[in-house]
Amino acid sequence: MNRLLSVTSLTGLLTLLKMCLGFIVGKIIAIYIGPSGVALLGQLQGIVSIFNGLANAPASSGIVRYTSQNFEQGYEKCAPWWRASVVWILILSSIAILIAFVSAQYLSETLLNNADYKWLIILIALFLPLTAIGTMINSIVNGQQQYKRYVSMGAISVIISNFLMVALIVKFGITGALVSISLQSSFIGCVMFFLVLKQPWFLLRNFFGEFSIIEFKAISGYILMMIASATLMPLALVAVRKILVINTGWNAAGEWQAVWKISETYLSIVTMALGTYFLPKLSKLQSQSEYESEIKNAAKIILPIVGLMALIIFLIRDAIISLLFTIDFYGARDYFSVQLIGDFVKIAAWLFAYPMLSKGKVKLFVSLEIVFAISLVFLCWLLVPVMGVHGANFAYAMNYLLYFIVVKFNFKKIVN
């Protein structure tokens, strides 16, 4: 428990830095382009998340798990997993680039309501390998449980990438904002590469060479899980925004997006701590009792933190809106309460869902991601025409309550 508190504190500081820098960028964007522009950037971020999810899938949770399990026996034990991951990154990045070139105009017209932005879709895809490099480096450091190095690298990369984003926005306005959103993860990947050049494990032979079908297939299972996680929910959110735009207009959708962004940002304190500490820790556990004990201990720390943060966000929501956005976003204050309840339920559900990643439960994980991405869109389709923007918040909370019930009910099946 003490180590989880320590990791939560460290990652909390990193997240606080990201929040401050992200809010500065968000404030600049809000001043430059207003609620409708924020909604547009939200759609673009959804597209970025989908493409990044495809390229990053071989480089995330699977690498954390197998690095955690093997690094104490030497880096040569980790190398086959890393090599298999590199091959998958090259394959999936090539597929993503091909998809981008073929569908850029359609995606731009359908999701951004403007065919002139097709060049952004292509730009996102071309820089995917750099994004994947950053993710893989992060995963290797995380798997070795070098928490201080993980946090310090994250801090340096986020400072540099956000500085570049602000420079682009100030220099080129809306075009700079669009480009900066598209390439932020690539900026981080470049910085990560230079930060680990002198690390003992960062050798060419550890990433290019022989590996077996075992490593290749094992990584493929995590690819399916990560693609499902990184693409289905962003796709669902794209559909949710589309439903909001059709029923309430771009401005109301921008207000909802502002609340979603605040929610996403403060929860990243918890999700980063879980990703940094929880996955490597769970990867080494064997019995059901060990899993139950670890999750129970984590819940005692994580859930009160989430509840307290949600309460503070609700109480100071007017100040947050004023600080981070503009007076045009004032209507967003009415959308916090149900959203924050949904956040609490979401984290509770994730605590019980994490063993699916550590145990490699591919079929169950992917099935649940598909079902609950569809159910979120379906609930929004039902509720938004009746309740307006509030319908999207109720759909979010209801969706994660159902998810919590399902993973809690299936917990023994997951860990056995």
Side-chain angles (χ1 to χ4, degrees):
M1 287 184 68
N2 289 335
R3 194 167 194 186
L4 176 55
L5 269 175
S6 174
V7 173
T8 303
S9 300
L10 284 171
T11 54
L13 290 173
L14 176 58
T15 306
L16 183 62
L17 174 64
K18 289 183 176 181
M19 285 170 60
C20 293
L21 294 174
F23 287 155
I24 291 171
V25 174
K27 181 74 172 183
I28 294 171
I29 290 172
I31 292 170
Y32 269 77
I33 56 182
S36 60
V38 170
L40 174 63
L41 289 181
Q43 287 293 76
L44 181 62
Q45 285 176 318
I47 297 171
V48 171
S49 296
I50 293 166
F51 276 100
N52 284 354
L54 186 63
N56 288 337
S60 50
S61 297
I63 293 301
V64 174
R65 174 188 175 180
Y66 295 116
T67 301
S68 177
Q69 289 179 346
N70 294 289
F71 82 94
E72 291 176 350
Q73 303 172 55
Y75 296 128
E76 65 277 3
K77 291 289 186 180
C78 301
W81 304 100
W82 299 348
R83 293 167 189 160
S85 176
V86 168
V87 172
W88 272 116
I89 288 171
L90 294 174
I91 292 171
L92 294 178
S93 295
S94 300
I95 292 171
I97 291 170
L98 179 62
I99 291 172
F101 273 92
V102 171
S103 62
Q105 183 164 342
Y106 172 78
L107 290 174
S108 183
E109 289 176 347
T110 304
L111 302 179
L112 303 177
N113 291 349
N114 192 335
D116 293 338
Y117 292 134
K118 65 181 181 181
W119 62 274
L120 280 170
I121 311 297
I122 296 171
L123 187 69
I124 292 166
L126 288 176
F127 280 84
L128 284 176
L130 289 177
T131 301
I133 287 172
T135 302
M136 188 168 190
I137 291 169
N138 251 337
S139 297
I140 291 172
V141 175
N142 189 3
Q144 295 178 71
Q145 299 176 25
Q146 297 178 352
Y147 300 128
K148 291 183 179 179
R149 183 182 298 276
Y150 179 89
V151 171
S152 62
M153 287 172 54
I156 294 169
S157 63
V158 78
I159 289 171
I160 294 174
S161 66
N162 277 273
F163 174 80
L164 292 173
M165 289 178 71
V166 170
L168 284 171
I169 294 167
V170 171
K171 180 71 174 177
F172 300 106
I174 180 63
T175 302
L178 293 168
V179 171
S180 67
I181 292 295
S182 302
L183 298 185
Q184 184 185 21
S185 298
S186 302
F187 294 155
I188 291 173
C190 289
V191 176
M192 288 288 184
F193 177 83
F194 287 105
L195 289 176
V196 298
L197 278 175
K198 295 185 178 181
Q199 289 300 301
W201 53 265
F202 197 70
L203 301 172
L204 198 63
R205 66 173 181 267
N206 286 338
F207 298 93
F208 296 94
E210 294 183 355
F211 58 88
S212 73
I213 193 65
I214 295 173
E215 290 88 17
F216 195 72
K217 288 179 68 176
I219 294 295
S220 71
Y222 277 92
I223 289 172
L224 289 175
M225 289 192 286
M226 291 303 99
I227 288 178
S229 179
T231 60
L232 289 172
M233 191 51 68
L235 276 173
L237 291 175
V238 167
V240 168
R241 291 188 198 97
K242 196 75 174 177
I243 292 169
L244 285 168
V245 169
I246 291 170
N247 288 276
T248 65
W250 278 99
N251 279 352
E255 291 171 352
W256 176 86
Q257 175 65 28
V259 176
W260 180 271
K261 191 65 180 178
I262 292 168
S263 175
E264 186 179 57
T265 303
Y266 90 84
L267 281 185
S268 63
I269 294 174
V270 175
T271 56
M272 182 178 288
L274 291 177
T276 305
Y277 170 85
F278 217 38
L279 183 57
K281 179 70 174 179
L282 293 180
S283 296
K284 295 183 176 182
L285 303 183
Q286 299 295 327
S287 68
Q288 179 182 328
S289 60
E290 287 178 317
Y291 273 95
E292 290 176 343
S293 176
E294 189 63 38
I295 290 172
K296 182 180 179 181
N297 290 334
K300 289 178 180 178
I301 296 172
I302 296 299
L303 293 183
I305 291 174
V306 175
L308 179 60
M309 287 193 296
L311 178 60
I312 293 171
I313 293 291
F314 180 76
L315 293 175
I316 64 171
R317 62 192 185 282
D318 290 341
I320 292 173
I321 293 170
S322 177
L323 178 66
L324 304 181
F325 299 98
T326 66
I327 194 170
D328 295 331
F329 290 82
Y330 188 71
R333 72 180 309 277
D334 298 328
Y335 306 139
F336 277 88
S337 56
V338 178
Q339 175 76 22
L340 294 171
I341 292 170
D343 291 341
F344 184 87
V345 178
K346 176 182 181 177
I347 296 302
W350 278 14
L351 286 172
F352 287 92
Y354 253 93
M356 286 191 285
L357 289 174
S358 67
K359 299 285 283 187
K361 300 287 186 176
V362 180
K363 292 181 180 179
L364 181 59
F365 184 90
V366 173
S367 298
L368 292 179
E369 289 294 308
I370 293 171
V371 168
F372 285 98
I374 293 172
S375 69
L376 176 62
V377 177
F378 177 71
L379 288 169
C380 285
W381 178 75
L382 285 178
L383 297 176
V384 170
V386 179
M387 305 175 65
V389 176
H390 291 289
N393 298 125
F394 275 97
Y396 168 71
M398 291 167 61
N399 200 51
Y400 274 107
L401 178 59
L402 293 172
Y403 188 87
F404 173 79
I405 292 169
V406 170
V407 293
K408 186 71 169 66
F409 181 77
N410 287 280
F411 184 72
K412 290 183 180 180
K413 180 180 178 181
I414 292 170
V415 299
N416 285 335

